[in-house]
Amino acid sequence: MASNEFTVPAQYEDLTPAPNVDKKTLNRMVWRSYWLQSSFNYETMQSGGWLFAMVPGLEKVHTNKNDLAASMYHNLDFINTHPFLVTFVMGIVLSLEQNKVDTQTIRSVRISAASPLGGIGDALFWLTLVPITAGITSNMAIEGNIIAPLIFLIVFHAALFACRFGLMNWAYKMGTSAIDSLTSNMQAFTRAAAIMGCFVVGALTVNMGGTQINLNIPNGTTRSVAAHTVVVSNEEAENFADLAIDTEEAEAGTLGMTDMDGAALKAADADGNEVECGIVDLGNGMSSVTYGEVTESPVSFSVASTLDTVMPKIVPLALVLLLYFLFAKKNFTPIKGIVLMLIIGILGALPLNEWLGITWWTGLW
């Protein structure tokens, strides 16, 4: 029984090179490339969207219907590349189709050109362009600039349009030599882009990372003597003269003029300046009395201040490194990372001081 499966010939029937494809057709192919992943599937990945984008060019170079059918059929082969750089591969393949190269060569070149673009595109867009533009415009938005999101979209899509249209025309003119031009410095370019991405992530961690461990742990109390000045009659002033106290043993709120040895107390006024307690006769039957009051203030250990002395922004850095470890070593997905950060944020913000009476807990963050 005969098989109905289409067999792609090794050569096209019409081997005459086709005329150059006009710029209008190339632009149509670029616009169609935006639909690359519209029919994404797990068997051939982006093949449906790829063929949809290639059809205008294939119809121009293959006037023979059998050749067009063969070309469309093998252009439905498996392909998976970076959607922003796909026009680079399209330009090369269209150049080969125009020159009626054998179908196996076209298939091989399509795969070999498409595969490396995933890493290059990620380094160029997701690790460099997006973090830089998003970081800058996010700061603008936080400061109240309402056009910041629009600026991000304009910059991002301007770069995207430039890559799509520029790569399409350049790759089509260069043909297979474009692969050598791109891949010759691919490793150095990818490394440079990755380093740039690391710098950007580090800068964003410092500028945008506001997470801090806001724990103030009780650590005893400190005693001091606060100075107060009043104007009273000379008779009333005499009542202050005998106020002698032991500042180390007296309860908070105790008033005094001298210590137990009779020496005038040293106290701090409202501005923090040291003054000496005593009575000054104003000469009109009134006296200015400066006396001291024992005060006791709680002392707490600030975790945030201590960590800042070790390294500012150490908590945001630790969270970034935690996510990096989970992504790189534990196969965490971005969704899991987001959920983890959400859980940590919620737990750290719980008002345990209200629920459980933990007075020193004011929330981690």
Side-chain angles (χ1 to χ4, degrees):
M1 184 175 180
S3 173
N4 291 326
E5 184 178 352
F6 183 86
T7 302
V8 178
Q11 297 278 349
Y12 291 123
E13 294 179 1
D14 182 4
L15 297 178
T16 304
N20 288 338
V21 177
D22 59 279
K23 193 169 184 177
K24 181 179 179 181
T25 301
L26 294 179
N27 290 339
R28 282 185 62 202
M29 294 173 65
V30 173
W31 285 113
R32 283 180 167 229
S33 70
Y34 279 89
W35 297 90
L36 176 69
Q37 302 191 98
S38 59
S39 61
F40 192 92
N41 64 85
Y42 289 105
E43 183 178 358
T44 58
M45 304 296 268
Q46 301 163 334
S47 62
W50 165 268
L51 178 59
F52 176 75
M54 288 293 297
V55 163
L58 297 179
E59 290 177 338
K60 288 285 185 178
V61 301
H62 292 299
T63 55
N64 183 299
K65 290 186 177 181
N66 292 333
D67 289 347
L68 178 60
S71 177
M72 292 178 66
Y73 190 86
H74 75 72
N75 270 284
L76 279 173
D77 286 348
F78 174 93
I79 185 170
N80 186 30
T81 189
H82 199 283
F84 297 168
L85 303 180
V86 65
T87 52
F88 172 79
V89 190
M90 291 170 59
I92 295 173
V93 171
L94 183 62
S95 177
L96 298 178
E97 295 279 4
Q98 176 191 337
N99 289 283
K100 307 300 175 68
V101 177
D102 64 274
T103 56
Q104 186 56 46
T105 298
I106 296 175
R107 283 173 152 175
S108 300
V109 169
R110 181 172 61 242
I111 293 299
S112 62
S115 299
L117 294 184
I120 296 176
D122 287 344
L124 182 63
F125 289 97
W126 303 131
L127 299 180
T128 305
L129 177 64
V130 171
I132 292 175
T133 54
I136 294 174
T137 54
S138 294
N139 276 328
M140 294 171 61
I142 290 173
E143 294 173 359
N145 192 327
I146 62 174
I147 67 170
L150 183 61
I151 293 175
F152 170 78
L153 293 175
I154 291 174
V155 172
F156 179 77
H157 286 288
L160 184 56
F161 288 164
C163 281
R164 284 186 184 269
F165 284 91
L167 287 176
M168 182 70 192
N169 288 276
W170 178 67
Y172 174 66
K173 292 176 182 177
M174 294 285 290
T176 54
S177 61
I179 300 177
D180 297 330
S181 300
L182 181 70
T183 57
S184 60
N185 298 310
M186 181 180 66
Q187 184 175 1
F189 170 79
T190 303
R191 176 176 171 79
I195 292 174
M196 172 66 77
C198 289
F199 272 105
V200 171
V201 171
L204 289 176
T205 300
V206 172
N207 292 327
M208 306 296 293
T211 307
Q212 188 57 278
I213 300 179
N214 295 322
L215 289 182
N216 293 304
I217 302 174
N219 190 31
T221 58
T222 181
R223 298 172 68 86
S224 61
V225 179
H228 302 283
T229 300
V230 294
V231 176
V232 296
S233 65
N234 292 337
E235 291 77 9
E236 292 176 322
E238 293 177 0
N239 297 328
F240 289 89
D242 298 328
L243 294 178
I245 60 171
D246 183 349
T247 56
E248 297 299 325
E249 300 294 337
E251 295 182 359
T254 303
L255 306 182
M257 294 288 289
T258 65
D259 61 18
M260 300 305 295
D261 297 326
L265 291 177
K266 304 292 185 181
D269 62 14
D271 297 325
N273 301 316
E274 185 179 77
V275 297
E276 186 176 285
C277 296
I279 301 173
V280 178
D281 189 348
L282 300 178
N284 57 355
M286 305 294 287
S287 296
S288 174
V289 179
T290 299
Y291 63 91
E293 178 186 4
V294 177
T295 61
E296 194 171 73
S297 304
V299 176
S300 60
F301 170 75
S302 173
V303 176
S305 299
T306 304
L307 291 177
D308 282 341
T309 60
V310 177
M311 179 187 292
K313 301 290 185 179
I314 192 173
V315 176
L317 175 62
L319 292 175
V320 171
L321 293 178
L322 171 63
L323 289 175
Y324 174 77
F325 171 77
L326 293 175
F327 292 151
K329 304 297 184 182
K330 300 299 181 181
N331 297 321
F332 247 53
T333 63
I335 296 298
K336 289 182 180 179
I338 293 172
V339 172
L340 175 63
M341 290 298 102
L342 181 62
I343 292 174
I344 292 176
I346 292 174
L347 292 177
L350 291 177
L352 298 183
N353 56 331
E354 298 178 7
W355 295 352
L356 304 178
I358 304 177
T359 57
W360 53 269
W361 177 279
T362 58
L364 281 175
W365 323 125

